[in-house]
Amino acid sequence: MRRVVVAAAVGVMAQTAYAADMPDYGPLRGALVETPRVINWEGFYVGAQGGYGTSDMNFTNATNDIASNLLANTVVESQMAVSSWPVLGKTSSHGQGWGAFVGYNSQWDDVVLGVEANYMHGSFGGSAIGSMGRRINYNNVVYDATYTSAAAITVNDVGSARLRAGYAFGSFLPYAFIGGSLGQADIVRTATITGSEGGRTVTPLSATQVQNGHFIYGYAGGLGMDMMIYRGLFLRAEWEYLKFAAPVDTSVSTVRAGLGYKF
């Protein structure tokens, strides 16, 4: 019995020594921790997109400058301030478009920073028309004035130059961006003043200003998500807000879907 025990002990010691001399070869021993796959977002990328959105226009002061020029040095302007009347108001409309984007990402571990140029061609904008009238007695003379205004804006092209910041996890890259907005719009504004002085009808005053292909600009911001699907090919979902400084106070907010490729 003693011989069996001794033989078993020697065998265990020999096996332990052999195992200690074996190389640390993962496939044989099995990996204890699996390293997660890291998506490489760094580099240039391009893509195409389509979107649907809302245009918000504030026409309140859209024709004030035209009316002011028409009524320069008149009693109704000096006493009634006709050109400042809030003839028009706010309105919204819906539109859609399609476009493209191109950019470059730099990546540090999971943090992704980049720059991007984004463009969309579509039909955004709206129109408004309104009228107001008042009467005053000035120096024993009765003055009547009616101010009629019409304005319209059609934004055919919108774009943004962006700075992006995102955080990658798995195949997803959620991001936020800020930047400048650019656009091209067709703008038509008309102001017409009619009235009477001391019971006598005066000649109507009217002027129209047309600006086709007018350059507009402002600021941009939004949120989005890129999802890598296969070897550089990725899907995009995004919301973008564009604010423009223009003769008609205008903003365009769109939701978009896109397909891109990172080189």
Side-chain angles (χ1 to χ4, degrees), residues 28 33 44 54 73 80-81 83 92 96-97 104 107-108 120 127 136 149 155 173 187 234 238 244 249:
L28 292 180
V33 179
F44 288 98
T54 300
N73 302 317
M80 302 169 69
S83 64
S92 298
Q96 58 279 323
Y104 180 83
Q107 184 169 354
W108 295 267
M120 181 170 287
S127 62
I136 63 168
S149 175
V155 184
L173 178 64
I187 304 170
F234 64 91
E238 183 181 271
F244 296 104
D249 184 15

Side-chain angles (χ1 to χ4, degrees), residues 38 107-112 166-170 173:
V38 177
Q107 184 169 354
W108 295 267
D109 295 328
D110 297 324
V111 177
V112 179
Y167 189 85
F169 64 96
L173 178 64

